[in-house]
Amino acid sequence: MNSLKMNVRSTSLQDAISTFLSSPPEGTPLEVIEAFEAPGVKEFLPPKLFLETVEQAPVAISITSPSAEILYVNKAFEALTGYSRDDVVGRNESVLSSKSTPAKVYQDLWSTIQSKRVWNGKLVNHRKDKQEYLADLMISPVLGKDGEIAYFLGMHRDITALHQLERQLSFQKRLIEGALDSAPMVVSMVDSGRKVLLDNQAYKALQGDFRGVEPADMILDALETQIGLDLDSAWSAESEFTNVEVRLEPPGGKGPRWFICSGVLVEDPEAAATAGGYFTTPESSPHHLMLIANEVTSSRQRINEARMNLIRANMTEQQLVQTMREAISGSIYKLQEPLNVIRAALNIPESSENKGTLRNVLWEALSIGSEAIENLQDALPSPKIEQVTRVNINEILHQVINLSTDTLLASGIVIDWRPAPILPTVAGRENALRALFKYLIDNAIAALNESNMDFRELRIGTQVDGDELVIEIIDSGSGIPEKMRLKIFEPFFFGWENPKGHAGMGLTMAQEVIISHGGGIEVDSDFLGGCRIFVRLPTAPSDGEVT
């Protein structure tokens, strides 16, 4: 038996058992030989099978004494470290230790296993050729029947390549985060519930400008309402979008801001990293939306400024034409009165009193008057035929307010602009809608000027009410008397002390425009302290067209 122990130390334990079984010493009991070959009984494996399993395990295994003297290593240990069994059996496990591992790590290791607990951690080891590698190590105390430590079982693997990959990924992550934070465009990652998972400094700055409101929510709402992008199906259908311009109205009534937006679907890393997601393909995995928004407000404002000049010129021309139409229509209206009197006189039965020259004069006056009316009607400028497009009412109102800025300032009127942050577009004629709101704002300015009040305020707001878009225009003037609330929309009626050359057709024209767009206009009869007018426009006309 002494020779067997020596053989176990000089060669592998498996080889020793194999040698023993091939030529057992004379007198060895048959029961001992059969015990090595017999299948396991209940909780025990046969020693030969156990040794073969350990020997062929793909992880490096070592067994040491309580003092860390190596008693056994398997083939994976030899392949990993470069040390053969003869090199390390009988030596301390510290033969693998590298000076790159801090002393406190070894102190923690030894304290843990001495207290009969399993230690798991990482050490910097070196191979026989002194090349260092990072080892993921687990050491488990093996207790004897007396409950004391009999051996230590150590298992470790080389994770140097994994560590390098983690460092590279960490570096790339910091690089990407640094690039995103320094990028001028707004970047955010949102899930299908619109929760912001990641953002950059530009996004945070925009959120500050928006008084804490999530810019991602506003942008996504704008994409849905302004261009009809179906984001609910976008996450499942994996549709993406590029270079879509949206207009946002920041909270607080500040000027509008424009962004060019793109959306890229990114696989949800958490769902992909779960055990259940191992066999899923990127196409079938849940996705997040990488939202990129590049602000183009400055360039858009320059374009809008040039456009405003064109609109201003167009509105001036339109105003001139409208003034002519009002003046001519007013003249026709006034001419009709004496002509109606003449017609009534001519319808009186002829008698001796009205025979002769007077009747002839009346017929001549009627003929001349009728001809004059026809000439005036022919002189009426024809309204321009305008194409129907999808119109952003916030933008139209903002343009009209800009056009009225000089008048508002000259009259000392404070403008309180309260647009809804996101509005659906409506089908309409831009110039006609501008004229509509110009009539209403001019009407409110006139009311404020004649009120002679010290504080003059004009409040304009927009909101969505079901399938309607509601525009609210409030002035702090003296209000409209109840008996005049229906008359104000009649042709050639005005209630101002100073008509300033107008024939009283402004509100009539406004009503015609709103009716042609399938909407309505009303005066709030319950409003006190001024006048409140509601303009309602359908977001989608029932017949699909504007008349």
Side-chain angles (χ1 to χ4, degrees):
M1 296 298 290
N2 289 337
S3 62
L4 176 60
K5 290 180 181 179
M6 291 175 62
N7 193 32
V8 169
R9 183 169 291 276
S10 59
T11 61
S12 72
L13 186 58
Q14 182 182 2
D15 292 341
I17 293 175
S18 298
T19 301
F20 168 75
L21 293 175
S22 62
S23 55
E26 187 176 351
T28 301
L30 183 61
E31 291 82 357
V32 174
I33 299 173
E34 289 177 348
F36 278 95
E37 296 283 5
V41 179
K42 292 184 180 179
E43 71 272 22
F44 296 108
L45 288 173
K48 182 180 179 183
L49 176 59
F50 181 78
L51 287 172
E52 286 176 347
T53 301
V54 173
E55 185 66 16
Q56 297 176 36
V59 64
I61 297 175
S62 62
I63 299 174
T64 69
S65 69
S67 60
E69 180 186 357
I70 297 176
L71 303 177
Y72 167 79
V73 297
N74 68 349
K75 289 182 179 179
F77 184 99
E78 291 179 308
L80 175 58
T81 66
Y83 287 104
S84 68
R85 290 180 179 133
D86 290 341
D87 291 333
V88 295
V89 170
R91 298 178 67 181
N92 193 281
E93 187 84 26
S94 62
V95 67
L96 299 178
S97 299
S98 169
K99 294 181 180 180
S100 298
T101 303
K104 63 179 181 180
V105 177
Y106 289 115
Q107 292 168 2
D108 177 65
L109 182 158
W110 192 249
S111 172
T112 301
I113 61 177
Q114 284 295 319
S115 62
K116 301 178 183 178
R117 291 180 290 119
V118 176
W119 185 88
N120 182 250
K122 296 174 178 61
L123 301 176
V124 180
N125 286 348
H126 63 72
R127 298 184 175 86
K128 186 175 181 179
D129 60 4
K130 302 305 178 183
Q131 181 183 1
E132 290 184 335
Y133 67 95
L134 185 64
D136 183 18
L137 173 65
M138 184 175 68
I139 300 177
S140 176
V142 179
L143 306 182
K145 291 182 179 180
D146 57 359
E148 297 301 318
I149 298 173
Y151 307 99
F152 289 115
L153 172 64
M155 294 181 286
H156 78 277
R157 59 193 180 98
D158 182 1
I159 61 167
T160 305
L162 180 61
H163 169 67
Q164 291 173 343
L165 179 60
E166 287 176 348
R167 285 297 179 91
Q168 289 174 358
L169 291 176
S170 177
F171 170 76
Q172 291 175 357
K173 181 175 180 291
R174 292 196 304 272
L175 185 65
I176 292 172
E177 288 176 347
L180 286 177
D181 276 339
S182 61
M185 70 280 295
V186 173
V187 180
S188 63
M189 179 87 76
V190 296
D191 62 15
S192 56
R194 296 197 178 187
K195 179 182 178 182
V196 177
L197 307 174
L198 176 148
D199 57 30
N200 67 344
Q201 291 299 324
Y203 183 93
K204 292 181 176 67
L206 186 62
Q207 189 175 24
D209 293 346
F210 286 0
R211 300 185 177 184
V213 177
E214 287 287 359
D217 274 342
M218 294 184 67
I219 292 172
L220 292 175
D221 287 341
L223 288 167
E224 287 186 314
T225 57
Q226 293 178 16
I227 67 170
L229 185 66
D230 186 1
L231 289 174
D232 290 334
S233 62
W235 264 283
S236 58
E238 299 191 38
S239 59
E240 299 178 340
F241 55 91
T242 305
N243 296 334
V244 176
E245 182 176 323
V246 297
R247 170 196 169 106
L248 303 181
E249 296 287 348
K254 294 183 179 180
R257 295 172 72 167
W258 287 266
F259 296 84
I260 300 293
C261 301
S262 298
V264 180
L265 289 172
V266 179
E267 185 181 8
D268 179 359
E270 292 185 2
T274 62
Y278 180 79
F279 290 104
T280 60
T281 62
E283 292 76 16
S284 60
S285 296
H287 285 77
H288 299 325
L289 182 68
M290 177 72 79
L291 187 62
I292 303 166
N294 188 26
E295 185 163 9
V296 293
T297 300
S298 297
S299 59
R300 194 67 162 77
Q301 285 174 339
R302 288 193 295 271
I303 295 171
N304 280 352
E305 186 176 347
R307 189 181 179 204
M308 279 300 299
N309 290 332
L310 292 175
I311 291 173
R312 188 174 287 107
N314 183 65
M315 289 289 288
T316 301
E317 181 184 353
Q318 189 175 348
Q319 189 95 26
L320 179 61
V321 171
Q322 186 58 40
T323 302
M324 291 175 61
R325 287 179 62 86
E326 286 187 22
I328 294 172
S329 297
S331 299
I332 293 173
Y333 179 76
K334 289 180 179 180
L335 276 174
Q336 289 287 1
E337 290 184 13
L339 292 180
N340 289 337
V341 172
I342 293 173
R343 287 192 183 91
L346 289 172
N347 286 329
I348 297 174
E350 188 174 1
S351 63
S352 59
E353 290 82 4
N354 57 21
K355 282 184 178 179
T357 306
L358 178 60
R359 192 172 183 84
N360 293 334
V361 170
L362 289 176
W363 275 111
E364 185 176 354
L366 179 61
S367 175
I368 294 172
S370 299
E371 184 179 352
I373 288 178
E374 289 179 5
N375 291 336
L376 287 172
Q377 287 174 338
D378 291 339
L380 275 173
S382 300
K384 291 184 178 180
I385 299 175
E386 187 181 355
Q387 185 178 1
V388 175
T389 59
R390 299 303 299 183
V391 180
N392 185 311
I393 293 298
N394 276 343
E395 187 170 356
I396 293 291
L397 282 166
H398 193 263
Q399 291 168 353
V400 174
I401 292 171
N402 284 341
L403 291 171
S404 303
T405 298
D406 291 342
T407 307
L408 291 166
L409 291 174
S411 302
I413 298 172
V414 177
I415 184 77
D416 185 2
W417 170 227
R418 300 184 180 185
I422 305 297
L423 278 185
T425 57
V426 298
R429 302 188 302 273
E430 286 192 4
N431 288 331
L433 289 171
R434 285 193 198 96
L436 159 69
F437 294 116
K438 189 70 166 59
Y439 292 142
L440 296 178
I441 290 176
D442 287 347
N443 193 68
I445 292 172
L448 289 166
N449 284 335
E450 292 201 355
S451 67
N452 294 320
M453 294 182 178
D454 294 333
F455 179 70
R456 303 176 183 185
E457 182 184 44
L458 177 60
R459 183 186 304 172
I460 302 173
T462 58
Q463 62 180 326
V464 177
D465 183 13
D467 294 332
E468 288 185 325
L469 193 155
V470 181
I471 301 94
E472 180 186 58
I473 300 176
I474 303 174
D475 67 68
S476 60
S478 54
I480 302 174
E482 185 175 355
K483 62 182 180 180
M484 293 176 58
R485 285 174 185 161
L486 295 177
K487 286 182 172 294
I488 59 173
F489 296 106
E490 293 180 1
F492 310 110
F493 176 86
F494 54 86
W496 314 123
E497 296 176 4
N498 183 7
K500 296 181 181 180
H502 291 289
M505 291 293 290
L507 290 178
T508 304
M509 297 293 185
Q511 189 177 50
E512 287 179 4
V513 171
I514 198 67
I515 290 174
S516 70
H517 283 76
I521 183 169
E522 62 189 57
V523 178
D524 184 359
S525 58
D526 297 324
F527 188 74
L528 301 176
C531 174
R532 175 162 61 183
I533 291 180
F534 292 111
V535 176
R536 300 179 183 274
L537 286 168
T539 54
S542 57
D543 58 359
E545 294 182 356
V546 175
T547 57

